[in-house]
Amino acid sequence: MLSRRPRTAWMTGLLATAVTAGAMIAAPAQAVGGGAAKDGTYAFTAQLDIGGGHRSCSGALVDRQWVISAASCFATDPAKSFKVSEGAPKWKTTATVGRTNLTGSSGTVANVVELVPYEGRDLVMAKLDKPVTGVTPVALATSAPAKGDRLRVAGYGRTHAVWVPDKLHSTRVTVDSVQGSSLGLTGDDPATAAVCKGDTGGPAFQESDGHPELVAVNSTSWQGGCVGTDPAETRRGAVDSRVDDINAWVQKVSYRTAFPNAPWKYAEHIASGYFTGGSAGGTRHMDMIVRWIDGEVTLYQGADDKDARHPFSAEYRIAAKNSVFKHAKQITGASFGGGSDGLIVRWVDGELTQYTHVDKKGLHGEKKLAPAKNKTWPYAEQITAGKYTANAQRDDLLVTWADGEVSLYTDVNTNALRGEKTLLKPNKTWPHADQITAGEFTGKKTADLLVRWSDGEATIYPGVTTGGFHGETKIRPAKSAWKSATVVNTGAFVANERPNDVLVRWADNRLGLYPGVDAAGTHGEVKLVG
């Protein structure tokens, strides 16, 4: 039981932290000096046992399978540095969540299997080996705190009188200073410290109408008034690491668990585009739309860093199961000029539909480009949109037909298809083009075309124009593993400089990403799923 652990089990050491009043030399904040919380209150607060009693810290559940805490809890020598490496923790760590009275049996006890630190800040996300049930994760504050704001801090560490409490404690604090990445805090009770040993990583949160919002995480403290502290130490302030300004990072890390668990074997069509914001050269990467076999459509929001292992940060359902999209034959993301990108859909009955823009709430601006049961579009095999002409605002639509003909519809606007150009006449080769996708692999003035052939060969056609194809580069030979690729799509999922990352869904339901494909070929696969 926690209360029976020896004093040496608690973290010790000193950290230097700059605050408004000057340089603070503070021990890692390891418990809240306030009163015991009512059972079940602030149940999102986690108790972390690191190394079987080697260290003890606190944390906050921000997702069913993720706890945020202080990186210094896991550092080799927190007195020198709070840096930790991404991956499994150095010491076996268990997290207890939803058990505000540690002598009870409620809540969830899970192992921490992965750490994801935030660079330059005493913060880390800790992944649990199983989801926490029965506890609502704490929401993240979306606005910056100000000097004079009142918050509440919580933790499982020491108090002014108890070495190792069995219950979660909390107390009110006031914000003394707001730095770029930290907060200076002072407890409202002048007789005791707000934060003592055992509270490192514990939450500092604001409460609005009974709904807590996480503002910061306990980092360091003077610990004046905490049991076991030198009686001559009268300073009771603490410094916390801000969380309110890194919502996007927390969201992305939390999403690592959800993305692989999607039913990828039912992903039938994929399209990419800037649907939720961002543009080439910006920080937000391309988003991805997936049409599932049951007609549901999901929008995956692109992340804002260069981590190829985790290119997406959130998902939104933009069409429900058994929607009309169950009858979509092909989809492609496209820019029609102005606002977010849209979508072109070819349906099983030959109808061609344009959605002028797509966002988190759904598909908007539906326009019929070709009616159902027409005499032309039922014979289309593949479609992809890209910038094949000089128009920088709107994409062009490239189409392969059942007889091998390849056409280009230039400058697709919000009203109609215009300017059909025949790039190749009917032939016996192009009926074997199983997937096509527009990309920018070679640095030409116009987009390239990537084709995955039925025999597994993959070919790049550089700088396609209205004049046709201008050479070809084979990046995968015939009978290659790409014969098992069931979906191939291109987007700017990593560097965001141009759409030259290729995403592949394989026949065995794996999902892989090839970053930075160029004329020399692919340069290694990053496994996203499987």
Side-chain angles (χ1 to χ4, degrees):
M1 197 169 84
L2 255 179
S3 59
R4 293 176 185 164
R5 289 184 187 154
R7 285 182 59 181
T8 53
W10 298 102
M11 189 194 305
T12 60
L14 299 176
L15 293 179
T17 305
V19 295
T20 305
M24 174 198 275
I25 305 300
Q30 299 221 348
V32 171
K38 182 180 179 181
D39 282 354
T41 306
Y42 314 130
F44 56 81
T45 307
Q47 193 274 336
L48 301 178
D49 178 5
I50 302 169
H54 177 62
R55 295 178 181 172
S56 183
C57 284
S58 300
L61 187 74
V62 291
D63 178 85
R64 290 183 62 213
Q65 209 164 341
W66 289 88
V67 166
I68 194 167
S69 186
S72 53
C73 292
F74 302 92
T76 300
D77 187 352
K80 295 180 179 179
S81 172
F82 54 71
K83 280 194 171 184
V84 295
S85 299
E86 183 172 333
K90 181 177 181 179
W91 300 284
K92 179 180 179 181
T93 302
T94 58
T96 301
V97 186
R99 186 180 299 174
T100 55
N101 185 336
L102 296 174
T103 63
S105 58
S106 61
T108 299
V109 179
N111 292 322
V112 172
V113 293
E114 181 183 0
L115 300 176
V116 183
Y118 186 84
E119 186 68 27
R121 199 173 297 192
D122 190 11
L123 284 173
V124 69
M125 291 279 281
K127 181 183 176 182
L128 309 180
D129 65 350
K130 60 183 177 182
V132 173
T133 58
V135 177
T136 301
V138 63
L140 302 181
T142 56
S143 58
K147 183 177 179 179
D149 283 356
R150 300 189 71 215
L151 307 175
R152 181 175 289 277
V153 293
Y156 285 93
R158 298 180 188 177
T159 68
H160 66 286
V162 181
W163 276 95
V164 188
D166 286 328
K167 295 183 178 180
L168 173 69
H169 284 68
S170 74
T171 192
R172 299 298 296 268
V173 297
T174 299
V175 177
D176 292 332
S177 63
V178 181
Q179 306 294 322
S181 61
S182 63
L183 303 178
L185 304 175
T186 298
D188 287 7
D189 184 350
T192 62
V195 178
C196 300
K197 287 190 174 184
D199 288 330
T200 302
F205 51 95
Q206 60 191 14
E207 295 178 279
S208 177
D209 298 325
H211 299 290
E213 292 184 341
L214 186 66
V215 175
V217 162
N218 299 330
S219 179
T220 60
S221 168
W222 289 113
Q223 302 186 54
C226 300
V227 65
T229 302
D230 186 345
E233 179 56 75
T234 60
R235 292 166 294 187
R236 291 169 168 78
V239 172
D240 276 24
S241 297
R242 287 178 60 184
V243 174
D244 64 278
D245 59 335
I246 56 169
N247 281 321
W249 176 77
V250 174
Q251 181 187 51
K252 179 189 174 180
V253 174
S254 301
Y255 191 63
R256 290 186 178 189
T257 306
F259 185 81
N261 291 331
W264 289 103
K265 66 180 179 179
Y266 301 116
E268 204 162 55
H269 299 299
I270 292 176
S272 59
Y274 294 106
F275 305 114
T276 64
S279 60
T283 57
R284 174 74 67 79
H285 304 322
M286 270 189 174
D287 311 306
M288 179 175 70
I289 286 177
V290 177
R291 197 278 280 173
W292 307 94
I293 196 169
D294 61 4
E296 183 173 332
V297 181
T298 302
L299 171 61
Y300 291 90
Q301 180 175 300
D304 58 359
D305 58 30
K306 295 184 178 182
D307 188 348
R309 299 168 301 167
H310 308 287
F312 306 106
S313 61
E315 67 180 66
Y316 304 91
R317 188 174 71 169
I318 58 176
K321 292 179 181 179
N322 298 314
S323 73
V324 66
F325 277 86
K326 192 171 184 178
H327 305 293
K329 187 70 174 178
Q330 283 103 28
I331 64 174
T332 182
S335 173
F336 304 115
S340 61
D341 286 350
L343 202 67
I344 295 177
V345 181
R346 189 179 83 83
W347 307 92
V348 292
D349 61 2
E351 181 178 325
L352 195 70
T353 302
Q354 173 192 59
Y355 295 90
T356 58
H357 67 281
V358 181
D359 57 26
K360 299 174 185 179
K361 296 181 180 180
L363 300 98
H364 311 281
E366 180 179 354
K367 295 179 181 294
K368 189 179 294 185
L369 299 180
K373 300 180 181 180
N374 63 79
K375 295 182 179 181
T376 301
W377 286 92
Y379 300 101
E381 287 294 324
Q382 304 291 333
I383 62 173
T384 187
K387 298 190 185 306
Y388 293 113
T389 60
N391 192 315
Q393 299 299 317
R394 294 189 291 271
D395 282 346
D396 313 294
L397 184 67
L398 193 147
V399 185
T400 65
W401 304 92
D403 61 1
E405 183 177 334
V406 181
S407 299
L408 183 66
Y409 292 86
T410 61
D411 192 19
V412 181
N413 62 20
T414 56
N415 294 315
L417 291 173
R418 301 184 299 174
E420 181 183 3
K421 305 286 185 181
T422 299
L423 304 185
L424 287 176
K425 294 181 179 180
N427 59 82
K428 295 183 179 180
T429 299
W430 280 78
H432 298 287
D434 273 5
Q435 282 111 31
I436 64 173
T437 180
E440 297 178 16
F441 311 110
T442 64
K444 301 296 184 181
K445 291 183 179 180
T446 55
D448 310 313
L449 181 69
L450 173 62
V451 180
R452 201 280 291 176
W453 303 93
S454 58
D455 64 357
E457 181 179 322
T459 306
I460 289 177
Y461 293 88
V464 178
T465 66
T466 55
F469 298 99
H470 309 283
E472 64 180 78
T473 300
K474 186 186 297 186
I475 63 170
R476 278 291 185 274
K479 299 181 181 180
S480 76
W482 280 50
K483 188 174 183 178
S484 299
T486 59
V487 179
V488 176
N489 186 260
T490 301
F493 300 124
V494 183
N496 203 39
E497 295 169 358
R498 63 179 190 266
N500 64 344
D501 307 314
V502 177
L503 189 145
V504 179
R505 176 189 174 276
W506 303 96
D508 60 3
N509 306 319
R510 291 182 297 114
L511 201 67
L513 181 66
Y514 293 85
V517 175
D518 55 27
T522 59
H523 306 282
E525 179 187 7
V526 178
K527 293 182 180 180
L528 303 181
V529 177

